[in-house]
């Protein structure tokens, strides 16, 4: 296989993988795993086994096994860049949709006499309910948007990890390169 063919095969596999590891597919599988309860099964042991279990991961592993060394290296590079971009998008989304509005509310609450509730001044129970519903809608919307971005970052990381596992299987994985900065998004990074 020539380098050009290997690059083309890696590009095609990467494009196919982006579709298979999409957010909606992930949400579908996450719902069946009890994600709505706030529990991620990967907090337990056997994380790699759980990551490799879905059909989309098996299809990706089969596609990676069919790539030559150059194609696998190129695919891994695409996956690394995709992961960095997805995590940067998650950080931006979290800051713009969650951190910034909360910061503005805290500042206004300190500046305004009587705080925000003093200015809004609910005169009836209906106004209080409307304000409560507005706050709940804000929290649900922000949580949904931030969760969507976070799931995208997790899927991009899974794709990279599966490519690294294929490199390890072939004996070409360099753990020093992945330990330098894995780009893992921590709450302190936000």
């Amino acid at each position: 296989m020539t380098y050009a063919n290997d690059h083309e095969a890696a590009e095609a596999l990467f494009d196919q993988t982006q579709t298979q590891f999409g957010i909606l597919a992930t949400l579908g599988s996450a719902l069946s795993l009890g994600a709505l309860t706030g529990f991620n099964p990967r907090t337990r042991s056997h994380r790699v086994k759980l990551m490799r279990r879905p059909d989309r991961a098996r299809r990706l592993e089969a596609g990676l096994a069919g790539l030559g060394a150059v194609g696998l290296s190129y695919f891994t590079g695409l996956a690394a860049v995709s992961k960095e971009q997805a995590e940067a998008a998650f950080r931006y989304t979290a800051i713009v949709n969650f951190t910034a509005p909360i910061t503005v509310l805290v500042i206004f609450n300190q500046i305004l006499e009587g705080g925000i509730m003093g200015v809004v001044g609910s005169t009836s129970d209906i106004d209080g309910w409307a304000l409560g519903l507005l706050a709940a809608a804000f929290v649900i919307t922000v949580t949904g948007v931030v969760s969507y971005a976070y799931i995208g970052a997790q899927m991009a990381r899974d794709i990279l990890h599966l490519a690294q596992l294929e490199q390890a299987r072939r004996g070409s994985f360099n753990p020093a390169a992945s330990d330098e900065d894995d780009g893992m998004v921590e709450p302190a990074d936000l």
Side-chain angles (χ1 to χ4, degrees):
M1 186 181 288
T2 67
Y3 286 153
N5 289 343
D6 220 10
H7 284 137
E8 289 173 12
E11 287 271 358
L13 180 60
F14 191 77
D15 289 344
Q16 175 187 0
T17 300
Q18 293 297 93
T19 302
Q20 291 172 346
F21 280 76
I23 302 295
L24 295 178
T26 302
L27 282 174
S29 66
L31 293 176
S32 66
L33 295 174
L36 289 177
T37 62
F39 177 73
N40 186 331
R42 290 192 199 173
T43 58
R44 302 182 311 224
S45 58
H46 306 293
R47 290 170 195 83
V48 174
K49 184 177 181 180
L50 288 170
M51 177 183 67
R52 297 173 73 189
R53 182 179 293 164
D55 288 338
R56 65 178 179 251
R58 291 180 184 167
R59 284 191 297 269
L60 175 56
E61 286 179 327
L64 291 170
L67 292 177
V70 171
L72 178 59
S73 177
Y74 183 53
F75 184 95
T76 304
L78 289 170
V81 170
S82 176
K83 177 182 132 323
E84 289 177 20
Q85 292 292 310
E87 288 179 344
F90 166 66
R91 284 189 295 272
Y92 174 83
T93 301
I95 289 168
V96 168
N97 290 289
F98 188 76
T99 307
I102 298 299
T103 302
V104 168
L105 284 174
V106 168
I107 290 170
F108 278 131
N109 198 43
Q110 294 298 318
I111 293 173
L112 298 172
E113 189 174 323
I116 293 173
M117 292 306 293
V119 171
V120 172
S122 180
T123 57
S124 72
D125 288 339
I126 294 175
D127 291 340
W129 278 100
L131 188 59
L133 287 175
L134 183 63
F138 171 77
V139 169
I140 290 170
T141 301
V142 167
T143 301
V145 170
V146 172
S147 296
Y148 183 87
Y150 186 72
I151 290 169
Q154 294 304 304
M155 289 299 91
R157 183 180 300 159
D158 282 357
I159 293 167
L160 176 60
H161 287 168
L162 290 166
Q164 289 173 332
L165 286 172
E166 178 60 23
Q167 286 180 322
R169 186 185 70 77
R170 294 183 188 192
S172 62
F173 177 67
N174 180 1
S178 65
D179 285 344
E180 291 173 7
D181 178 19
D182 73 353
M184 186 170 175
V185 177
E186 300 289 344
D189 294 337
L190 301 176

Tab-separated table of all heavy atoms in Angstrom, residues 8-59:
chain	number	residue	atom	x	y	z
A	8	GLU	N	-5.389	8.114	2.428
A	8	GLU	CA	-6.791	8.143	2.004
A	8	GLU	C	-7.630	7.177	2.831
A	8	GLU	O	-8.750	7.506	3.228
A	8	GLU	CB	-6.898	7.813	0.522
A	8	GLU	CG	-6.368	8.905	-0.387
A	8	GLU	CD	-6.319	8.492	-1.854
A	8	GLU	OE1	-6.904	7.442	-2.210
A	8	GLU	OE2	-5.694	9.228	-2.635
A	9	ALA	N	-7.098	5.987	3.075
A	9	ALA	CA	-7.824	5.005	3.885
A	9	ALA	C	-8.019	5.523	5.304
A	9	ALA	O	-9.092	5.349	5.899
A	9	ALA	CB	-7.076	3.670	3.897
A	10	ALA	N	-6.986	6.172	5.865
A	10	ALA	CA	-7.094	6.730	7.217
A	10	ALA	C	-8.129	7.849	7.252
A	10	ALA	O	-8.930	7.929	8.190
A	10	ALA	CB	-5.733	7.241	7.690
A	11	GLU	N	-8.121	8.713	6.223
A	11	GLU	CA	-9.119	9.801	6.148
A	11	GLU	C	-10.536	9.232	6.080
A	11	GLU	O	-11.438	9.702	6.780
A	11	GLU	CB	-8.871	10.679	4.909
A	11	GLU	CG	-7.683	11.577	5.006
A	11	GLU	CD	-7.998	12.932	5.617
A	11	GLU	OE1	-9.157	13.213	5.946
A	11	GLU	OE2	-7.039	13.702	5.775
A	12	ALA	N	-10.730	8.220	5.240
A	12	ALA	CA	-12.056	7.622	5.086
A	12	ALA	C	-12.507	6.975	6.395
A	12	ALA	O	-13.663	7.135	6.808
A	12	ALA	CB	-12.041	6.595	3.956
A	13	LEU	N	-11.599	6.257	7.048
A	13	LEU	CA	-11.941	5.627	8.318
A	13	LEU	C	-12.249	6.685	9.378
A	13	LEU	O	-13.188	6.537	10.161
A	13	LEU	CB	-10.806	4.711	8.790
A	13	LEU	CG	-11.043	3.993	10.125
A	13	LEU	CD1	-12.275	3.088	10.059
A	13	LEU	CD2	-9.809	3.186	10.518
A	14	PHE	N	-11.488	7.767	9.394
A	14	PHE	CA	-11.729	8.824	10.369
A	14	PHE	C	-13.093	9.472	10.135
A	14	PHE	O	-13.845	9.716	11.090
A	14	PHE	CB	-10.611	9.869	10.329
A	14	PHE	CG	-10.670	10.833	11.469
A	14	PHE	CD1	-10.233	10.456	12.729
A	14	PHE	CD2	-11.176	12.112	11.304
A	14	PHE	CE1	-10.300	11.329	13.806
A	14	PHE	CE2	-11.241	12.990	12.370
A	14	PHE	CZ	-10.807	12.599	13.622
A	15	ASP	N	-13.436	9.739	8.875
A	15	ASP	CA	-14.745	10.332	8.568
A	15	ASP	C	-15.880	9.403	9.006
A	15	ASP	O	-16.875	9.847	9.590
A	15	ASP	CB	-14.861	10.635	7.073
A	15	ASP	CG	-13.986	11.806	6.649
A	15	ASP	OD1	-13.530	12.574	7.531
A	15	ASP	OD2	-13.740	11.948	5.433
A	16	GLN	N	-15.720	8.116	8.736
A	16	GLN	CA	-16.729	7.130	9.136
A	16	GLN	C	-16.834	7.071	10.662
A	16	GLN	O	-17.934	7.020	11.215
A	16	GLN	CB	-16.345	5.766	8.577
A	16	GLN	CG	-17.237	4.634	9.003
A	16	GLN	CD	-16.689	3.284	8.549
A	16	GLN	OE1	-15.640	3.187	7.917
A	16	GLN	NE2	-17.408	2.232	8.878
A	17	THR	N	-15.709	7.126	11.324
A	17	THR	CA	-15.671	7.060	12.785
A	17	THR	C	-16.356	8.266	13.411
A	17	THR	O	-17.066	8.137	14.408
A	17	THR	CB	-14.207	6.965	13.272
A	17	THR	OG1	-13.630	5.791	12.716
A	17	THR	CG2	-14.120	6.915	14.775
A	18	GLN	N	-16.163	9.443	12.824
A	18	GLN	CA	-16.797	10.651	13.357
A	18	GLN	C	-18.310	10.485	13.373
A	18	GLN	O	-18.977	10.964	14.294
A	18	GLN	CB	-16.406	11.873	12.515
A	18	GLN	CG	-14.941	12.233	12.609
A	18	GLN	CD	-14.527	12.632	14.001
A	18	GLN	OE1	-14.066	11.823	14.790
A	18	GLN	NE2	-14.693	13.884	14.322
A	19	THR	N	-18.855	9.826	12.372
A	19	THR	CA	-20.294	9.600	12.320
A	19	THR	C	-20.717	8.558	13.351
A	19	THR	O	-21.702	8.746	14.066
A	19	THR	CB	-20.703	9.130	10.906
A	19	THR	OG1	-20.290	10.121	9.972
A	19	THR	CG2	-22.200	8.924	10.806
A	20	GLN	N	-19.957	7.474	13.439
A	20	GLN	CA	-20.321	6.387	14.360
A	20	GLN	C	-20.194	6.804	15.820
A	20	GLN	O	-20.914	6.293	16.673
A	20	GLN	CB	-19.446	5.159	14.100
A	20	GLN	CG	-19.734	4.505	12.781
A	20	GLN	CD	-18.729	3.405	12.457
A	20	GLN	OE1	-17.684	3.289	13.072
A	20	GLN	NE2	-19.072	2.597	11.467
A	21	PHE	N	-19.279	7.699	16.119
A	21	PHE	CA	-19.076	8.157	17.488
A	21	PHE	C	-19.750	9.510	17.709
A	21	PHE	O	-19.283	10.318	18.491
A	21	PHE	CB	-17.575	8.267	17.808
A	21	PHE	CG	-16.929	6.955	18.146
A	21	PHE	CD1	-16.634	6.042	17.162
A	21	PHE	CD2	-16.615	6.651	19.456
A	21	PHE	CE1	-16.030	4.840	17.463
A	21	PHE	CE2	-16.007	5.446	19.775
A	21	PHE	CZ	-15.718	4.536	18.771
A	22	GLY	N	-20.848	9.747	17.037
A	22	GLY	CA	-21.569	11.010	17.169
A	22	GLY	C	-22.250	11.136	18.518
A	22	GLY	O	-22.422	10.170	19.261
A	23	ILE	N	-22.653	12.341	18.817
A	23	ILE	CA	-23.272	12.645	20.107
A	23	ILE	C	-24.585	11.878	20.304
A	23	ILE	O	-24.818	11.311	21.359
A	23	ILE	CB	-23.534	14.163	20.241
A	23	ILE	CG1	-22.245	14.953	20.106
A	23	ILE	CG2	-24.240	14.483	21.540
A	23	ILE	CD1	-21.241	14.728	21.190
A	24	LEU	N	-25.439	11.832	19.275
A	24	LEU	CA	-26.728	11.155	19.433
A	24	LEU	C	-26.555	9.668	19.658
A	24	LEU	O	-27.261	9.067	20.472
A	24	LEU	CB	-27.620	11.435	18.220
A	24	LEU	CG	-28.033	12.903	18.067
A	24	LEU	CD1	-28.881	13.091	16.821
A	24	LEU	CD2	-28.769	13.393	19.301
A	25	ALA	N	-25.600	9.041	18.947
A	25	ALA	CA	-25.329	7.625	19.171
A	25	ALA	C	-24.827	7.398	20.593
A	25	ALA	O	-25.196	6.425	21.253
A	25	ALA	CB	-24.306	7.112	18.164
A	26	THR	N	-24.013	8.299	21.068
A	26	THR	CA	-23.478	8.195	22.419
A	26	THR	C	-24.576	8.369	23.451
A	26	THR	O	-24.627	7.649	24.439
A	26	THR	CB	-22.372	9.237	22.637
A	26	THR	OG1	-21.366	9.022	21.655
A	26	THR	CG2	-21.780	9.126	24.015
A	27	LEU	N	-25.456	9.335	23.222
A	27	LEU	CA	-26.566	9.537	24.156
A	27	LEU	C	-27.446	8.299	24.212
A	27	LEU	O	-27.886	7.896	25.279
A	27	LEU	CB	-27.394	10.751	23.762
A	27	LEU	CG	-26.803	12.097	24.135
A	27	LEU	CD1	-27.658	13.221	23.557
A	27	LEU	CD2	-26.677	12.248	25.625
A	28	GLY	N	-27.686	7.686	23.067
A	28	GLY	CA	-28.495	6.465	23.037
A	28	GLY	C	-27.885	5.364	23.870
A	28	GLY	O	-28.564	4.701	24.658
A	29	SER	N	-26.570	5.167	23.742
A	29	SER	CA	-25.920	4.122	24.530
A	29	SER	C	-25.787	4.543	25.979
A	29	SER	O	-25.867	3.731	26.887
A	29	SER	CB	-24.551	3.772	23.945
A	29	SER	OG	-23.665	4.857	24.058
A	30	ALA	N	-25.591	5.834	26.214
A	30	ALA	CA	-25.461	6.304	27.593
A	30	ALA	C	-26.763	6.117	28.356
A	30	ALA	O	-26.761	5.762	29.528
A	30	ALA	CB	-25.038	7.771	27.614
A	31	LEU	N	-27.881	6.339	27.672
A	31	LEU	CA	-29.166	6.180	28.332
A	31	LEU	C	-29.372	4.730	28.754
A	31	LEU	O	-29.913	4.459	29.818
A	31	LEU	CB	-30.305	6.633	27.409
A	31	LEU	CG	-30.330	8.128	27.097
A	31	LEU	CD1	-31.432	8.427	26.101
A	31	LEU	CD2	-30.502	8.950	28.354
A	32	SER	N	-28.917	3.791	27.923
A	32	SER	CA	-29.087	2.389	28.279
A	32	SER	C	-28.137	1.977	29.397
A	32	SER	O	-28.326	0.965	30.027
A	32	SER	CB	-28.868	1.497	27.053
A	32	SER	OG	-27.521	1.577	26.634
A	33	LEU	N	-27.102	2.768	29.650
A	33	LEU	CA	-26.147	2.441	30.713
A	33	LEU	C	-26.486	3.118	32.033
A	33	LEU	O	-25.734	3.033	32.989
A	33	LEU	CB	-24.726	2.837	30.277
A	33	LEU	CG	-24.162	2.070	29.101
A	33	LEU	CD1	-22.824	2.663	28.678
A	33	LEU	CD2	-23.994	0.603	29.446
A	34	GLY	N	-27.580	3.811	32.093
A	34	GLY	CA	-27.973	4.443	33.345
A	34	GLY	C	-27.328	5.798	33.575
A	34	GLY	O	-27.183	6.230	34.708
A	35	ALA	N	-26.941	6.466	32.489
A	35	ALA	CA	-26.275	7.759	32.633
A	35	ALA	C	-27.200	8.811	33.239
A	35	ALA	O	-26.718	9.767	33.834
A	35	ALA	CB	-25.746	8.238	31.292
A	36	LEU	N	-28.490	8.622	33.075
A	36	LEU	CA	-29.415	9.611	33.621
A	36	LEU	C	-29.365	9.662	35.148
A	36	LEU	O	-29.759	10.648	35.750
A	36	LEU	CB	-30.844	9.321	33.153
A	36	LEU	CG	-31.112	9.590	31.680
A	36	LEU	CD1	-32.540	9.204	31.331
A	36	LEU	CD2	-30.853	11.031	31.337
A	37	THR	N	-28.872	8.601	35.766
A	37	THR	CA	-28.765	8.593	37.219
A	37	THR	C	-27.501	9.296	37.684
A	37	THR	O	-27.266	9.422	38.878
A	37	THR	CB	-28.762	7.151	37.757
A	37	THR	OG1	-27.611	6.467	37.237
A	37	THR	CG2	-30.025	6.413	37.383
A	38	GLY	N	-26.671	9.735	36.724
A	38	GLY	CA	-25.438	10.421	37.080
A	38	GLY	C	-24.285	9.481	37.338
A	38	GLY	O	-23.253	9.889	37.849
A	39	PHE	N	-24.428	8.225	36.962
A	39	PHE	CA	-23.370	7.242	37.187
A	39	PHE	C	-22.766	6.837	35.860
A	39	PHE	O	-23.462	6.395	34.958
A	39	PHE	CB	-23.934	6.012	37.901
A	39	PHE	CG	-22.908	4.936	38.104
A	39	PHE	CD1	-21.908	5.082	39.045
A	39	PHE	CD2	-22.936	3.792	37.332
A	39	PHE	CE1	-20.954	4.104	39.229
A	39	PHE	CE2	-21.983	2.804	37.512
A	39	PHE	CZ	-20.990	2.962	38.456
A	40	ASN	N	-21.473	6.983	35.738
A	40	ASN	CA	-20.761	6.528	34.554
A	40	ASN	C	-20.118	5.190	34.881
A	40	ASN	O	-19.328	5.105	35.822
A	40	ASN	CB	-19.688	7.547	34.160
A	40	ASN	CG	-19.012	7.195	32.858
A	40	ASN	OD1	-18.898	6.039	32.486
A	40	ASN	ND2	-18.560	8.208	32.157
A	41	PRO	N	-20.447	4.153	34.133
A	41	PRO	CA	-19.909	2.822	34.446
A	41	PRO	C	-18.379	2.764	34.407
A	41	PRO	O	-17.781	1.881	34.995
A	41	PRO	CB	-20.493	1.923	33.367
A	41	PRO	CG	-21.521	2.692	32.670
A	41	PRO	CD	-21.345	4.125	33.011
A	42	ARG	N	-17.748	3.722	33.748
A	42	ARG	CA	-16.294	3.698	33.675
A	42	ARG	C	-15.620	4.160	34.960
A	42	ARG	O	-14.409	4.206	35.037
A	42	ARG	CB	-15.804	4.545	32.502
A	42	ARG	CG	-16.137	3.903	31.180
A	42	ARG	CD	-15.414	4.589	30.075
A	42	ARG	NE	-16.049	4.302	28.805
A	42	ARG	CZ	-15.714	4.883	27.686
A	42	ARG	NH1	-14.770	5.785	27.661
A	42	ARG	NH2	-16.330	4.570	26.568
A	43	THR	N	-16.403	4.503	35.961
A	43	THR	CA	-15.790	4.823	37.245
A	43	THR	C	-15.340	3.544	37.947
A	43	THR	O	-14.535	3.607	38.861
A	43	THR	CB	-16.763	5.594	38.161
A	43	THR	OG1	-17.936	4.800	38.352
A	43	THR	CG2	-17.126	6.939	37.573
A	44	ARG	N	-15.874	2.422	37.523
A	44	ARG	CA	-15.471	1.133	38.089
A	44	ARG	C	-14.251	0.617	37.331
A	44	ARG	O	-13.713	1.285	36.458
A	44	ARG	CB	-16.616	0.123	37.953
A	44	ARG	CG	-17.897	0.570	38.629
A	44	ARG	CD	-18.966	-0.474	38.516
A	44	ARG	NE	-19.110	-0.958	37.147
A	44	ARG	CZ	-20.247	-1.151	36.535
A	44	ARG	NH1	-21.358	-0.905	37.156
A	44	ARG	NH2	-20.310	-1.589	35.306
A	45	SER	N	-13.835	-0.588	37.674
A	45	SER	CA	-12.718	-1.209	36.956
A	45	SER	C	-13.188	-1.669	35.572
A	45	SER	O	-14.358	-1.518	35.227
A	45	SER	CB	-12.165	-2.385	37.761
A	45	SER	OG	-13.182	-3.325	38.000
A	46	HIS	N	-12.309	-2.199	34.796
A	46	HIS	CA	-12.584	-2.685	33.434
A	46	HIS	C	-12.972	-1.554	32.490
A	46	HIS	O	-13.820	-1.715	31.620
A	46	HIS	CB	-13.665	-3.770	33.423
A	46	HIS	CG	-13.390	-4.908	34.339
A	46	HIS	ND1	-12.356	-5.789	34.144
A	46	HIS	CD2	-13.994	-5.297	35.490
A	46	HIS	CE1	-12.343	-6.680	35.109
A	46	HIS	NE2	-13.320	-6.398	35.954
A	47	ARG	N	-12.344	-0.384	32.647
A	47	ARG	CA	-12.666	0.774	31.813
A	47	ARG	C	-12.384	0.515	30.344
A	47	ARG	O	-13.167	0.875	29.479
A	47	ARG	CB	-11.863	1.993	32.282
A	47	ARG	CG	-12.285	2.532	33.601
A	47	ARG	CD	-11.289	3.569	34.123
A	47	ARG	NE	-11.505	3.821	35.520
A	47	ARG	CZ	-11.015	3.076	36.503
A	47	ARG	NH1	-10.272	2.049	36.234
A	47	ARG	NH2	-11.279	3.366	37.759
A	48	VAL	N	-11.240	-0.108	30.072
A	48	VAL	CA	-10.870	-0.356	28.675
A	48	VAL	C	-11.850	-1.339	28.046
A	48	VAL	O	-12.284	-1.151	26.910
A	48	VAL	CB	-9.414	-0.864	28.573
A	48	VAL	CG1	-9.073	-1.263	27.142
A	48	VAL	CG2	-8.451	0.200	29.075
A	49	LYS	N	-12.231	-2.351	28.793
A	49	LYS	CA	-13.201	-3.328	28.290
A	49	LYS	C	-14.527	-2.636	27.963
A	49	LYS	O	-15.136	-2.895	26.928
A	49	LYS	CB	-13.396	-4.428	29.329
A	49	LYS	CG	-14.308	-5.540	28.897
A	49	LYS	CD	-14.374	-6.607	29.990
A	49	LYS	CE	-15.258	-7.754	29.584
A	49	LYS	NZ	-15.323	-8.785	30.647
A	50	LEU	N	-14.954	-1.750	28.849
A	50	LEU	CA	-16.207	-1.026	28.618
A	50	LEU	C	-16.097	-0.088	27.416
A	50	LEU	O	-17.061	0.083	26.669
A	50	LEU	CB	-16.610	-0.237	29.866
A	50	LEU	CG	-17.111	-1.070	31.035
A	50	LEU	CD1	-17.246	-0.219	32.284
A	50	LEU	CD2	-18.433	-1.725	30.691
A	51	MET	N	-14.922	0.521	27.223
A	51	MET	CA	-14.735	1.418	26.086
A	51	MET	C	-14.765	0.629	24.771
A	51	MET	O	-15.274	1.113	23.763
A	51	MET	CB	-13.397	2.154	26.205
A	51	MET	CG	-13.089	3.069	25.028
A	51	MET	SD	-11.470	3.849	25.141
A	51	MET	CE	-10.378	2.444	24.972
A	52	ARG	N	-14.249	-0.584	24.785
A	52	ARG	CA	-14.145	-1.398	23.569
A	52	ARG	C	-15.400	-2.214	23.288
A	52	ARG	O	-15.513	-2.805	22.219
A	52	ARG	CB	-12.946	-2.334	23.690
A	52	ARG	CG	-11.633	-1.575	23.788
A	52	ARG	CD	-10.487	-2.487	24.078
A	52	ARG	NE	-10.171	-3.253	22.877
A	52	ARG	CZ	-9.324	-4.268	22.872
A	52	ARG	NH1	-8.717	-4.635	23.975
A	52	ARG	NH2	-9.084	-4.901	21.741
A	53	ARG	N	-16.358	-2.250	24.200
A	53	ARG	CA	-17.529	-3.111	24.075
A	53	ARG	C	-18.519	-2.704	22.977
A	53	ARG	O	-19.036	-3.568	22.268
A	53	ARG	CB	-18.262	-3.183	25.412
A	53	ARG	CG	-19.475	-4.099	25.353
A	53	ARG	CD	-20.192	-4.185	26.663
A	53	ARG	NE	-19.346	-4.860	27.619
A	53	ARG	CZ	-19.546	-4.833	28.929
A	53	ARG	NH1	-20.557	-4.152	29.426
A	53	ARG	NH2	-18.747	-5.465	29.751
A	54	PRO	N	-18.843	-1.427	22.799
A	54	PRO	CA	-19.880	-1.079	21.803
A	54	PRO	C	-19.492	-1.510	20.379
A	54	PRO	O	-18.318	-1.613	20.039
A	54	PRO	CB	-19.972	0.449	21.892
A	54	PRO	CG	-19.384	0.815	23.203
A	54	PRO	CD	-18.362	-0.235	23.503
A	55	ASP	N	-20.512	-1.723	19.555
A	55	ASP	CA	-20.277	-2.120	18.162
A	55	ASP	C	-19.433	-1.100	17.419
A	55	ASP	O	-18.590	-1.465	16.603
A	55	ASP	CB	-21.615	-2.316	17.431
A	55	ASP	CG	-22.342	-3.569	17.884
A	55	ASP	OD1	-21.678	-4.488	18.416
A	55	ASP	OD2	-23.579	-3.633	17.719
A	56	ARG	N	-19.650	0.179	17.679
A	56	ARG	CA	-18.885	1.198	16.967
A	56	ARG	C	-17.398	1.099	17.290
A	56	ARG	O	-16.557	1.328	16.434
A	56	ARG	CB	-19.430	2.593	17.258
A	56	ARG	CG	-19.291	3.024	18.686
A	56	ARG	CD	-19.811	4.438	18.901
A	56	ARG	NE	-19.665	4.777	20.284
A	56	ARG	CZ	-20.673	4.899	21.135
A	56	ARG	NH1	-21.904	4.743	20.713
A	56	ARG	NH2	-20.451	5.195	22.382
A	57	ALA	N	-17.062	0.735	18.528
A	57	ALA	CA	-15.651	0.570	18.900
A	57	ALA	C	-15.064	-0.651	18.200
A	57	ALA	O	-13.926	-0.619	17.713
A	57	ALA	CB	-15.502	0.436	20.408
A	58	ARG	N	-15.831	-1.707	18.102
A	58	ARG	CA	-15.356	-2.920	17.403
A	58	ARG	C	-15.152	-2.648	15.913
A	58	ARG	O	-14.190	-3.128	15.316
A	58	ARG	CB	-16.332	-4.063	17.625
A	58	ARG	CG	-16.336	-4.553	19.055
A	58	ARG	CD	-17.295	-5.677	19.257
A	58	ARG	NE	-17.313	-6.041	20.665
A	58	ARG	CZ	-18.223	-6.815	21.196
A	58	ARG	NH1	-19.179	-7.330	20.447
A	58	ARG	NH2	-18.176	-7.102	22.478
A	59	ARG	N	-16.054	-1.875	15.324
A	59	ARG	CA	-15.884	-1.532	13.902
A	59	ARG	C	-14.635	-0.678	13.701
A	59	ARG	O	-13.890	-0.865	12.746
A	59	ARG	CB	-17.124	-0.799	13.385
A	59	ARG	CG	-18.311	-1.711	13.137
A	59	ARG	CD	-19.427	-1.003	12.371
A	59	ARG	NE	-19.990	0.123	13.099
A	59	ARG	CZ	-21.030	0.044	13.927
A	59	ARG	NH1	-21.603	-1.110	14.156
A	59	ARG	NH2	-21.491	1.128	14.529
